[in-house]
Amino acid sequence: MSNVDDDQIEQLRRLWDRYGRLLATVAVLALLGVSGRYFYEGRQQRQAAAAAALYAAWQQPPAGQSADALAAQLRTEYPRSSYASFAAFAQARQAVEAGKLADAEQHLRWIVQNSPEANDRALASLRLARVLLDQGKPQEALDALGKDVPASSPALAEIRGDIAQAQKKPDEARKAYQEAIAGLPPESGQTALIKLKLDALGQP
């Protein structure tokens, strides 16, 4: 073997003595990181599938199981899943249709507090404000309009107008209704409805 080969081997040996453990540690950590990522993704997929199956069961409860119990299970076991929010929205709608506004309030508050989706929290906030206003709680309705609702939302302006009207503040209501109309298509049914509310306020 040549002296050049001997020198190269000696250099490699010295490098290994100096950095070998570090390189081995880095390699192990990289391997653990990849394994952990795949484990996390696999766990997320399994949880999503389980939540979807539970949601399907809630829609058509098997014999001997109640929809309310299955929805509660969804909220308890998979509170961060969209399926839990879907079920809570549906329960809130059913409660409103049945005239059970306190129950609807409970379901909507759960979404606001637990949903990971800003859009779901925003929609739940608007509906919660409506439910509270229907219960004769205008200030609580105003407080329920959380930060997730876009400031430019016509729906937000409309509910603010309704709240102001309930609080006997016609000028604020008129301004809010005008903002709502400005953000909607001129020929939409919602625009026509808000114009009726605005007309009902009379002239300033």
Side-chain angles (χ1 to χ4, degrees):
M1 185 176 294
S2 69
N3 290 335
V4 174
D5 291 337
D6 290 342
D7 289 344
Q8 289 177 340
I9 292 173
E10 180 61 23
Q11 288 177 3
L12 289 173
R13 186 186 64 78
R14 289 176 181 175
L15 286 172
W16 177 257
D17 289 343
R18 187 171 182 180
Y19 299 111
R21 291 183 179 178
L22 175 61
L23 291 173
T25 300
V26 170
V28 170
L29 290 175
L31 181 61
L32 289 174
V34 171
S35 299
R37 178 170 61 85
Y38 282 121
F39 173 80
Y40 175 78
E41 290 176 353
R43 181 172 180 272
Q44 291 292 95
Q45 291 174 355
R46 289 192 297 272
Q47 286 190 333
L54 194 53
Y55 179 73
W58 169 79
Q59 290 180 304
Q60 294 184 330
Q65 297 189 35
S66 72
D68 287 343
L70 290 168
Q73 185 180 349
L74 254 178
R75 289 193 296 270
T76 300
E77 297 182 4
Y78 309 104
R80 304 288 290 174
S81 76
S82 295
Y83 295 105
S85 295
F86 294 161
F89 270 124
Q91 287 183 297
R93 185 185 68 251
Q94 292 166 1
V96 168
E97 291 172 352
K100 299 178 179 179
L101 298 183
D103 290 346
E105 176 186 344
Q106 179 182 357
H107 296 311
L108 293 169
R109 285 192 187 279
W110 186 90
I111 299 169
V112 171
Q113 294 167 4
N114 292 278
S115 176
E117 300 294 334
N119 287 341
D120 286 347
R121 294 194 301 270
L123 180 58
S125 295
L126 289 170
R127 293 183 180 179
L128 175 59
R130 179 66 61 192
V131 165
L132 289 167
L133 187 59
D134 288 345
Q135 293 181 81
K137 303 174 182 178
Q139 187 56 51
E140 287 188 40
L142 188 61
D143 295 340
L145 296 171
K147 61 182 181 181
D148 294 303
V149 183
S152 60
S153 166
L156 175 62
E158 181 184 1
I159 187 65
R160 284 188 181 278
D162 293 344
I163 292 170
Q165 186 176 11
Q167 293 177 323
K168 309 300 182 185
K169 299 176 180 178
D171 290 340
E172 290 185 20
R174 187 175 292 105
K175 180 181 178 181
Y177 288 147
Q178 289 169 343
E179 290 177 1
I181 291 171
L184 290 168
E187 303 303 322
S188 73
Q190 194 63 28
T191 299
L193 176 61
I194 298 173
K195 284 182 177 179
L196 289 176
K197 295 180 180 181
L198 188 58
D199 291 342
L201 290 172
Q203 296 298 319

